[in-house]
Amino acid sequence: MAYAIPEPYGWNESFRMFYASIDDEHKGLFKSVFDVAADPSSAHALSHCYDVMDIHFSHEEAILQRANYTDILYNEHKKAHDNFMNRLGGLKSPVSADAVAYLKNWLVRHIKTIDFKYRGFVNC
Ligand SMILES: [Fe+2]
Ligand SMILES: [Fe+2]
């Protein structure tokens, strides 16, 4: 299934998780990818994107662990984060158009598939 990529790139209501802290972090993730797309040659934008993703994923994984999210779903979720961070960590500025498209697509798809699975199932 294809997911619409918002243009201009940014968070919108279709991504709402109904957890204020998670939604705020997701807004920051979109902004960080927007900033990489706006200036692919900026090493600062790329490292900021890496940092906010890293912080968010750690937060999300801690929430899932506290909630006793099933091992299978937790492992699937963590693996998705780890794979993405490997790819993101391997990028160098200037970031290619293909890599920018990957970042944009991955975040949209991840929230709407993997993150949405825990929507309503955890307290945070
Ligand atoms: Fe996630
Ligand atoms: Fe998330």
Side-chain angles (χ1 to χ4, degrees), residues 10 17 32 42 45 64 75 89 109 117:
M17 295 285 291
S32 77
S42 169
L64 297 179
N75 290 337
R109 170 171 283 276
K117 284 186 187 172

Side-chain angles (χ1 to χ4, degrees), residues 36-79:
V36 171
D39 188 0
S41 63
S42 169
H44 173 75
L46 184 58
S47 69
H48 178 70
C49 182
Y50 186 94
D51 289 346
V52 294
M53 294 284 180
D54 198 29
I55 290 166
H56 170 67
F57 296 158
S58 297
H59 181 206
E60 204 168 69
E61 287 159 17
I63 288 167
L64 297 179
Q65 282 189 311
R66 271 205 309 275
N68 282 326
Y69 205 50
T70 73
D71 284 351
I72 291 169
L73 287 174
Y74 175 81
N75 290 337
E76 172 194 60
H77 203 139
K78 170 124 178 68
K79 195 167 162 195

Side-chain angles (χ1 to χ4, degrees), residues 17 22 26 29 56-57 60 77 81 107 110-111 115 118:
M17 295 285 291
I22 296 293
H26 283 169
L29 304 186
H56 170 67
F57 296 158
E60 204 168 69
H77 203 139
H81 289 166
L107 183 60
H110 181 78
I111 292 174
D115 281 0
Y118 78 79

Side-chain angles (χ1 to χ4, degrees), residues 75-88:
N75 290 337
E76 172 194 60
H77 203 139
K78 170 124 178 68
K79 195 167 162 195
H81 289 166
D82 290 349
N83 288 343
F84 177 74
M85 289 308 283
N86 281 337
R87 177 87 185 262
L88 179 56

